[in-house]
Amino acid sequence: MLLFLSVPQPRPPGARTRAGAARVAWWRRQRLRRQQLRRLRGLLRGLRGRPGAGSRRRGRMALCGQAAGAASLPSELIVHIFSFLPAPDRLRASASCSHWRECLFYPALWPQLRICLRVSPAEQPRLEFLMRKCGWFVRELRVEFAAENYLSGGGGPGDGSGADTGTGGEEVEALQLSTRWLEVLRTYLELVLCVLVSIRNNRIQQLFEEILSNSRQLKWLSCGFMLEIVTPTSLSSLSNSIANTMEHLSLLDNNIPGNSTLITTVELERFVNLRSLALDFCDFTAEMARVLTDSNHVPLQRLSLLVHNVSVMHKSLDNMPNDEHWKALSRKSTSLRVYIMAFDIKSEDMLKILKPSIPLERIHFDSYITCVSGAIVDLISRQYDKFLTHFILMNDVIDTSGFPDLSDNRNEDPLVLLAWRCTKLSLLAIHGYTVWAHNLIAIARLRGSDLKVLEVTEESIDFDQGELADQDVDPVHNLIEQVSLGLGQPWHAVMDIESLSVFTEPNRHFYREMQSFSEDI
């Protein structure tokens, strides 16, 4: 069977047609054009000082030959870019498009805000706008009024200086100055009132902790990427009685600084009825795994882990569970299933993370800098063949030589082996890695109708020279037909990449999938 999978599928004989040859030529031209666009975007990012931080592919734009714009970048990447810029440059960069303007006022970018104003009614609209955007979350606010805007008794045209006006003139000048001071004072108080009214509602963290402390029947607490509302001390607001009855807990935030964690092992000991848990992988330690296997804890059934390169850089992997801990968790709950999203993780780190005894059901790779290797895909197909149902492989690394080919220097394509070994595979999504047409047909035939979702971007699909040289059959039409037959349903490559959240907003996609994954219990 393996030998059968490694060679192109036999094609039915057909008449040589000009239409078929033209279709092949069109496919090749479009692929070359998309590769040129990728190189151009890579050069532009290099000039901007962000090598390796790629934008998501826009299938429709690629087909039309237009360059993908700044609006195609995911929100997380735009916020990350803004974090390196001083405030004036952020404002200038936000003028690029509406999507960038929406990302400008992400709370993590403005923990401190300094506003310089003139005491003038003309400043009020600007101040109201800033307070409406930042007033509800800013932690330190400094408002300064320009000193030259305050009135003084002397100097300036029309104030009567330089002439002896006499006693009557002095009284008139004093009255005018008093009136102008009253106007300035009123304007000043209006501006201050605008600030105070806006920050009156700056109690998000406090309100969140009040909700937790006042809860009486809380069963499900899911906090994912909540603009730093959740802090390492938030869970202490929960009473022991509520913690003891909680069934689902999700604490995901890749913006927590340094070695801080949203939950400690001591806190986790209170959640004895927890059936579903979602954490940053670096926060899930061996001690936590031990706590979850204690006899006073109910069996954990769903575990979702986010492995983010930012966390791995600031936190150590030395405290993660070893294979014995995973075996103990699996013995405690035979129905335990794990969902992992790995965001820009190096292959050597993934080899440490992927312990053989993890009951891995879903895995999602997303890369901007580091590509997934064929060895990792092969390891997953061998270790998790009894559990794996969802496999998502995304890559946006700019490489002038084209998309990486996982089958290089291998007898068999790792993706085909994945489909062959993982008999429960129901979802396979691929972008940014070369998928040969004959291998795609083999995957569809191996899994058949059990593979409910097969999403491959059309720019990731390539044909070998033999397929392109044989003009008896239109290779594009043959690919669509053979994959559709294999799956038992109509199939087409993904043309509009932005229609799928898994390609454009990976964090949001992971959070939604984690929710449904946990609800399965």
Side-chain angles (χ1 to χ4, degrees):
M1 180 180 288
L2 292 180
L3 180 61
F4 166 75
L5 297 176
S6 64
V7 298
Q9 303 299 326
R11 305 174 182 81
R16 181 187 301 266
T17 62
R18 292 183 179 180
R23 187 91 179 261
V24 172
W26 174 85
W27 185 283
R28 298 295 288 178
R29 285 197 302 273
Q30 296 302 321
R31 184 175 178 82
L32 178 60
R33 183 179 298 171
R34 286 188 293 276
Q35 290 176 349
Q36 292 171 343
L37 288 176
R38 284 173 56 83
R39 292 167 187 161
L40 177 60
R41 287 195 291 268
L43 291 173
L44 290 175
R45 274 189 295 275
L47 292 174
R48 293 168 184 163
R50 286 285 300 161
S55 66
R56 295 292 180 190
R57 299 297 168 269
R58 305 185 69 176
R60 185 180 299 159
M61 284 194 171
L63 288 175
C64 297
Q66 303 170 3
S72 63
L73 291 172
S75 302
E76 297 91 340
L77 184 55
I78 297 172
V79 171
H80 187 64
I81 293 172
F82 281 167
S83 68
F84 293 96
L85 302 178
D89 291 340
R90 289 179 197 166
L91 295 173
R92 296 187 189 99
S94 68
S96 301
C97 62
S98 59
H99 183 40
W100 282 52
R101 283 195 295 275
E102 292 172 0
C103 298
L104 175 63
F105 293 104
Y106 186 86
L109 297 174
W110 306 99
Q112 299 174 336
L113 186 62
R114 178 174 173 264
I115 303 174
C116 296
L117 299 171
R118 293 178 297 108
V119 184
S120 166
E123 294 282 41
Q124 185 153 348
R126 184 164 70 104
L127 182 61
E128 288 177 349
F129 173 79
L130 288 173
M131 289 297 97
R132 187 170 62 252
K133 290 292 187 180
C134 302
W136 63 278
F137 62 74
V138 67
R139 294 289 166 253
E140 181 180 325
L141 176 63
R142 178 181 298 178
V143 182
E144 299 175 357
F145 294 93
E148 62 271 14
N149 191 231
Y150 287 97
L151 297 174
S152 59
D159 63 357
S161 60
D164 186 6
T165 59
T167 305
E170 291 177 358
E171 291 177 354
V172 172
E173 181 182 351
L175 180 61
Q176 291 176 345
L177 187 60
S178 176
T179 303
R180 293 168 65 189
W181 262 111
L182 287 174
E183 288 295 326
V184 170
L185 182 60
R186 186 178 68 178
T187 302
Y188 168 76
L189 292 176
E190 287 176 352
L191 294 175
V192 172
L193 181 62
C194 175
V195 173
L196 295 177
V197 169
S198 299
I199 64 174
R200 178 181 60 186
N201 298 321
N202 191 335
R203 298 174 59 242
I204 301 299
Q205 288 184 354
Q206 181 182 346
L207 289 174
F208 178 72
E209 293 178 2
E210 287 179 5
I211 291 173
L212 295 184
S213 61
N214 294 325
S215 299
R216 294 295 177 265
Q217 296 181 342
L218 191 62
K219 299 288 186 182
W220 184 290
L221 178 60
S222 186
C223 308
F225 315 110
M226 290 182 60
L227 310 181
E228 300 182 352
I229 292 175
V230 185
T231 67
T233 61
S234 295
L235 289 183
S236 60
S237 303
L238 281 173
S239 65
N240 286 332
S241 60
I242 295 300
N244 290 341
T245 59
M246 187 83 69
E247 294 182 359
H248 170 84
L249 179 62
S250 169
L251 298 172
L252 297 169
D253 193 342
N254 51 29
N255 290 305
I256 296 298
N259 292 322
S260 301
T261 60
L262 294 179
I263 185 172
T264 63
T265 303
V266 175
E267 283 283 355
L268 187 62
E269 290 177 347
R270 299 197 298 153
F271 296 85
V272 294
N273 278 299
L274 211 58
R275 290 174 169 80
S276 173
L277 178 63
L279 292 176
D280 186 292
F281 182 85
C282 293
D283 293 344
F284 186 67
T285 62
E287 280 299 305
M288 286 189 176
R290 182 194 59 76
V291 167
L292 293 172
T293 58
D294 286 346
S295 58
N296 63 326
H297 277 255
V298 301
L300 188 70
Q301 298 183 42
R302 294 291 183 270
L303 178 59
S304 300
L305 299 170
L306 175 65
V307 194
H308 201 284
N309 63 332
V310 175
S311 296
V312 173
M313 283 191 325
H314 293 95
K315 302 176 184 179
S316 174
L317 291 175
D318 296 337
N319 298 323
M320 66 181 178
N322 58 31
D323 201 49
E324 291 302 318
H325 292 115
W326 286 110
K327 288 179 180 178
L329 281 169
S330 297
R331 285 194 299 268
K332 173 77 174 182
S333 174
T334 57
S335 60
L336 174 64
R337 296 295 180 267
V338 177
Y339 180 12
I340 292 178
M341 177 178 177
F343 193 94
D344 250 336
I345 304 300
K346 298 177 181 178
S347 294
E348 53 265 32
D349 290 329
M350 285 306 304
L351 290 174
K352 299 176 184 177
I353 291 168
L354 295 174
K355 304 300 183 185
S357 298
I358 298 177
L360 185 66
E361 183 177 287
R362 305 183 183 195
I363 190 162
H364 178 173
F365 289 102
D366 198 282
S367 303
Y368 284 106
I369 301 172
T370 306
C371 293
V372 175
S373 66
I376 295 296
V377 178
D378 186 61
L379 178 70
I380 291 170
S381 68
R382 285 187 285 105
Q383 290 188 167
Y384 312 117
D385 55 305
K386 295 180 180 179
F387 302 105
L388 194 69
T389 63
H390 291 56
F391 187 83
I392 299 175
L393 191 60
M394 306 295 303
N395 164 48
D396 211 15
V397 179
I398 296 300
D399 186 349
T400 57
S401 62
F403 289 145
D405 184 0
L406 298 178
S407 62
D408 276 353
N409 302 318
R410 291 176 174 271
N411 294 328
E412 300 296 338
D413 185 273
L415 294 172
V416 175
L417 291 176
L418 181 85
W420 176 56
R421 291 168 176 158
C422 301
T423 56
K424 295 183 178 180
L425 190 68
S426 61
L427 183 147
L428 179 61
I430 304 169
H431 167 69
Y433 292 85
T434 298
V435 181
W436 296 99
H438 60 273
N439 286 332
L440 192 56
I441 294 172
I443 290 170
R445 289 179 174 177
L446 279 169
R447 293 277 54 86
S449 59
D450 292 335
L451 188 58
K452 305 299 182 184
V453 179
L454 177 59
E455 294 174 346
V456 183
T457 54
E458 57 89 22
E459 60 182 301
S460 302
I461 302 172
D462 202 358
F463 299 87
D464 61 28
Q465 292 301 319
E467 291 172 310
L468 295 175
D470 183 3
Q471 296 186 8
D472 289 341
V473 176
D474 178 354
V476 178
H477 176 77
N478 182 66
L479 171 67
I480 295 172
E481 181 181 33
Q482 293 301 319
V483 173
S484 298
L485 287 173
L487 297 176
Q489 59 179 333
W491 177 87
H492 290 278
V494 176
M495 308 295 284
D496 184 4
I497 194 171
E498 290 200 344
S499 64
L500 300 172
S501 63
V502 64
F503 298 118
T504 56
E505 296 288 348
N507 275 0
R508 291 184 183 180
H509 176 84
F510 171 69
Y511 185 71
R512 285 196 296 266
E513 289 297 304
M514 178 274 296
Q515 294 279 76
S516 63
F517 177 65
S518 299
E519 289 170 358
D520 284 346
I521 63 176

